[in-house]
Amino acid sequence: MTAARADLEAARLLLDRLGVSPADLLQADHNDRQIPTFAEYVPIVEAAVSDGSRRAYRSYWRRLVEKWGDRRLDEPSPSDIERLIQEIKANVVARRNARGGRSAAELFVAAMRCLYKRAVADGHITAAEDPAQKVAKPRRLPSTRRAVADARLAEINQIAATTGDDPDLDTLLLRLHTETACRRGGALALLPADLDPDQCLILLREKGETVRWQPVSPTLMRHLLRHIEERPATPATAVLRYRNGRPISRRRYDHLWQRIGAHLPWVAIQQISTHWLRHTTLTWVERRFGHAVAQAYAGHLGGDASVTSTYVRATLQEVAAALAALTDEPHPLA
């Protein structure tokens, strides 16, 4: 008998005499861990994640607190999570663009994985004990968004310019998103210091903590500078703001499209939104300047799975050239 085997036999004999099994030791170690409840841990996770993740997952985390607030993180099984997914899908708010609660289920699984990933990192559970990773995430269906035709886009801009309490602000918003194909978060985060008038560039901070310089037309740059001059604010205040200097929020976008939809029924029926402008511009750029330029225009550099994209990235000058063609205005970098 080897020394190691002799040690194991001695350990077994000692455990038998004490009336303790190996499973009892594992359970004792498990019970010694101070595993928080959902009610205790969700606020910690909310405070740690980014603003974007907080907005996306907050409603699902609150649902967890309502349903499982007193339960410890290690108590729910994958089946418990799947039952809650079915409950969420059954109670999802019915909308015209609803897909049987598929998006809600996908977001809920993502919210659970985010929470448990941090629980593993904090040492509350092990990776093997993570039940969220054992639940399948619904496959995302193709988006119904598409490019808006030129004539339809002109109608949208006409309504924005002739209705509402602040047409100057609304038309500036539409022009900004149409030229740059930026997301709402990028526009709302824009600061006066992010404008480079000499080179007609703006600094966009968007999801995933990406940062990029995006060309804009001289006309748009003039309107942005005038907007800043006419609406009082500090250098740390967002560029896009109301006449009283208060920065706008996402609610301004919601009200804008509700108003446009009230005048143009097809906008309300198809649920056109700001993100459709991004589709419109990037489709136009891709058709005329190719995939690499459209990828750079969108701020997707580094996100393409193709190895070739590493070698064929478009330059800022090429993006500026696409913008110049789009707006029919010369650009300093083109």
Side-chain angles (χ1 to χ4, degrees):
M1 181 181 293
T2 63
R5 187 172 181 82
D7 290 342
L8 286 175
E9 290 297 334
R12 289 195 187 97
L13 180 61
L14 178 60
L15 289 175
D16 287 341
R17 289 179 178 178
L18 294 175
V20 178
S21 69
D24 293 331
L25 294 176
L26 292 174
Q27 185 63 35
D29 176 68
H30 183 273
N31 292 336
D32 287 341
R33 286 185 290 168
Q34 298 298 316
I35 301 177
T37 64
F38 284 95
E40 294 169 338
Y41 196 60
V42 164
I44 295 174
V45 176
E46 279 198 26
V49 299
S50 65
D51 291 340
S53 296
R54 192 178 303 113
R55 281 193 302 268
Y57 302 149
R58 176 179 286 163
S59 62
Y60 300 101
W61 286 335
R62 289 179 177 175
R63 182 70 174 271
L64 281 177
V65 172
E66 291 174 5
K67 298 288 291 187
W68 296 344
D70 295 333
R71 300 183 72 179
R72 297 194 316 269
L73 298 178
D74 63 328
E75 292 185 21
S77 66
S79 295
D80 291 331
I81 295 176
E82 288 172 352
R83 279 194 293 271
L84 192 51
I85 289 174
Q86 296 306 318
E87 183 179 321
I88 289 172
K89 290 176 67 175
N91 292 286
V92 71
V93 177
R95 295 188 176 92
R96 285 195 302 275
N97 63 347
R99 300 187 178 187
R102 194 183 191 95
S103 295
E106 179 189 353
L107 274 174
F108 176 70
V109 174
M112 292 294 289
R113 289 183 177 180
C114 176
L115 185 143
Y116 273 106
K117 181 179 179 181
R118 292 192 172 272
V120 171
D122 289 340
H124 297 306
I125 62 172
T126 65
E129 295 172 318
D130 180 355
Q133 290 297 331
K134 301 171 185 176
V135 175
K137 191 175 183 180
R139 181 176 58 85
R140 182 171 297 183
L141 297 176
S143 173
T144 58
R145 299 186 186 104
R146 63 183 185 279
V148 180
D150 292 347
R152 294 298 194 184
L153 187 58
E155 291 181 48
I156 290 173
N157 282 281
Q158 175 66 18
I159 295 300
T162 56
T163 64
D165 59 354
D166 198 342
D168 290 342
L169 172 61
D170 293 336
T171 52
L172 182 61
L173 281 177
L174 294 179
R175 176 84 186 229
L176 174 62
H177 285 280
T178 302
E179 278 200 18
T180 66
C182 69
R183 301 176 179 88
R184 288 189 307 180
L188 293 174
L190 194 62
L191 301 175
D194 296 332
L195 274 59
D196 181 349
D198 292 336
Q199 299 187 86
C200 286
L201 296 172
I202 62 173
L203 188 66
L204 292 176
R205 302 177 183 85
E206 296 189 315
K207 70 176 186 178
E209 299 181 351
T210 59
V211 179
R212 75 179 189 279
W213 286 102
Q214 186 78 12
V216 298
S217 68
T219 296
L220 177 55
M221 181 59 73
R222 285 197 302 271
H223 283 286
L224 287 171
L225 294 174
R226 185 184 306 160
H227 184 82
I228 294 172
E229 292 175 0
E230 295 176 349
R231 308 195 177 205
T234 65
T237 305
V239 167
L240 299 171
R241 47 190 185 248
Y242 296 105
R243 292 190 181 94
N244 61 7
R246 182 170 57 90
I248 69 169
S249 68
R250 293 171 182 269
R251 293 182 62 84
R252 184 68 193 186
Y253 289 93
D254 297 336
H255 294 152
L256 170 61
W257 289 107
Q258 288 171 6
R259 187 175 79 249
I260 295 174
H263 289 82
L264 302 173
W266 60 270
V267 169
I269 292 171
Q270 297 183 46
Q271 296 186 310
I272 308 295
S273 66
T274 305
H275 210 70
W276 287 60
L277 302 180
R278 180 172 168 84
H279 280 259
T280 302
T281 301
L282 295 179
T283 298
W284 189 94
V285 172
E286 192 276 334
R287 297 294 189 272
R288 290 160 179 78
F289 293 88
H291 177 76
V293 176
Q295 186 182 41
Y297 208 112
H300 283 162
L301 286 181
D304 196 303
S306 170
V307 176
T308 309
S309 66
T310 304
Y311 304 97
V312 296
R313 292 179 179 177
T315 65
L316 188 60
Q317 288 73 21
E318 289 175 304
V319 174
L323 171 71
L326 175 70
T327 60
D328 199 23
E329 280 191 63
H331 190 277
L333 299 181

